[in-house]
Amino acid sequence: MLTAKNKASTAVQYFTDDYDPGQTRWIGKGASGLDLEGEIDRGEFENVCYGKSPDGTKYLGTKGDPDKRRAGTDFTFSAPKSLSLTALVGGDTRLEVAHRVAVEKTLALIEDRYAQTRITKDKKVAEVKTGNLVVAQFNHIESRELDPHLHTHALVMNLTQAENGKWYANDNDLIFQNKKHLGTIYQAYLAAEVERLGYEIEPRPHGMFGIKGYKRENLVEFSKRRMQILAQCPANSTWQTREDSWDRTRKHKEHIPPAELKLRWQQEASDLGIEIV
């Protein structure tokens, strides 16, 4: 599944608290153009959120009110619950790698097809393809209800570089218009990786899939956050209604060390008699 939300300057706090080593990464051709590679440094991330160069010495593009500026767009890639159980409770870390591969393949496609900006020349505004994005990637393994939930926040920063070498605001309209399609592409990439590892999969509605062998009630037991959202929405509610409910019902995220979480999940699965595929 893929969801998307614009993030204001509060992104600085949200995306830099409580991350374990190895769970963050800069990706994208635009990031490479700014010499941003590997683990994300909080200071550099904060500067880029405010439209500055990583070292903070200059503004890239037009300087605006930092409190009103859109820092970027959060595209959240969520693995199927069955995959989260097998990877995080069953301990098959290859599936975590498969998820990250699928995310990065999808982001590369987004960068190639939909990276663009608006440039004004002679009082005319033109949409210009740029082919580069600056993406801050943050990996998670738990939901806000502390269930196993393998997902990645890919914050597409509000910056892209045109052929003239100048930096402009990233126009994300095309990405939003194709959000559902891109979610299906992520699922397809992920399904291929999962099958390559030898797992059987079965189709789910809306282009999604699951690892074969789990009972529905087993998945529901570890889907407390999803059940919380569905309880707020009618059965025929739209995708947007469910996203709005997600916003209304979210609580502050509690940080627990990954090793402790996994032990807790293994015990819970054992108590419930759930067999991990």
Side-chain angles (χ1 to χ4, degrees), residues 12 26 30-31 33-36 42-67 69-71 134 157-160 167-168:
V12 174
W26 287 109
L34 292 172
D35 293 324
L36 293 170
R42 179 174 180 135
E44 291 180 337
F45 176 73
E46 183 170 347
N47 286 329
V48 174
C49 279
Y50 289 121
K52 298 179 181 179
S53 59
D55 62 7
T57 58
K58 62 181 179 180
Y59 277 90
L60 304 173
T62 305
K63 180 181 178 181
D65 184 339
D67 293 323
R69 186 180 189 279
R70 174 171 62 86
V134 181
M157 310 304 296
N158 191 21
L159 287 170
T160 189
W167 291 87
Y168 296 86

Side-chain angles (χ1 to χ4, degrees), residues 213-224:
Y214 287 99
K215 297 177 182 178
R216 183 180 182 279
E217 55 266 32
N218 296 157
L219 303 180
V220 170
E221 290 286 354
F222 281 105
S223 302
K224 289 185 277 295

